[in-house]
């Protein structure tokens, strides 16, 4: 079987905001390369129509971002005045997330939709 690994979806920033109710949102400091969920779905459909290869493929979005910045842009696109506070995650995992730990080393496939294009299309209200 072929395995497809994908980076975080564009919607992840909104999901983090939904988990932090109130006037201030605490968002973990992390670097991400978000991809459109529809592009991941299309890649999965394409792979399902092919013969299995025993490969592990990685699909990443076109740009690297800091998650707190994505959360701020999400809120701005919705006209919200909530504040976002970047929260460092302690320990080795937190250091990895803040640097390159969540970024693919050499993606096999690339998404095309940028986070700005996602926001311009009207992100779902969570």
């Amino acid at each position: 079987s072929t395995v497809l690994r994908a980076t975080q979806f564009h919607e992840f920033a909104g999901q983090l905001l939904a988990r932090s109710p109130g006037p201030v949102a605490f968002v973990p400091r992390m670097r991400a390369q978000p991809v459109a969920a529809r592009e991941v779905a299309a890649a999965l459909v394409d792979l399902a129509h092919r013969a299995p290869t025993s490969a592990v493929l990685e699909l990443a979005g076109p740009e690297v971002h800091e998650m707190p910045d994505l959360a701020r842009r999400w809120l701005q696109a919705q006209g919200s005045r909530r504040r976002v506070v970047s929260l460092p995650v302690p320990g080795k995992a937190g250091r990895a997330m803040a640097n390159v730990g969540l970024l693919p080393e050499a993606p096999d496939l690339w998404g095309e939709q940028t986070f700005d294009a996602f926001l311009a299309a009207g992100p779902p209200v969570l």
Side-chain angles (χ1 to χ4, degrees), residues 18-39:
R19 290 181 177 211
S20 185
V24 177
F26 296 96
V27 176
R29 185 177 304 151
M30 61 190 320
R31 294 182 78 198
Q33 197 166 342
V35 65
R38 67 176 177 74
E39 291 177 328

Side-chain angles (χ1 to χ4, degrees), residues 25-117:
F26 296 96
V27 176
R29 185 177 304 151
M30 61 190 320
R31 294 182 78 198
Q33 197 166 342
V35 65
R38 67 176 177 74
E39 291 177 328
V40 176
L44 286 169
V45 168
D46 181 55
L47 290 173
H49 286 100
R50 296 181 184 194
T53 63
S54 299
V56 176
L57 303 175
E58 289 186 323
L59 171 59
E63 304 169 320
V64 175
H65 296 280
E66 300 293 330
M67 193 56 64
D69 293 336
L70 296 181
R72 288 182 190 100
R73 288 163 55 194
W74 182 293
L75 291 171
Q76 182 181 18
Q78 293 184 337
S80 174
R81 297 182 66 168
R82 288 178 72 193
R83 289 196 56 212
V84 172
V85 174
S86 177
L87 186 66
V89 178
K92 185 177 179 180
R95 285 189 300 278
M97 287 176 21
N99 292 297
V100 296
L102 296 177
L103 303 179
E105 290 184 25
D108 303 286
L109 305 167
W110 293 92
E112 296 179 9
Q113 185 183 43
T114 64
F115 190 74
D116 287 336

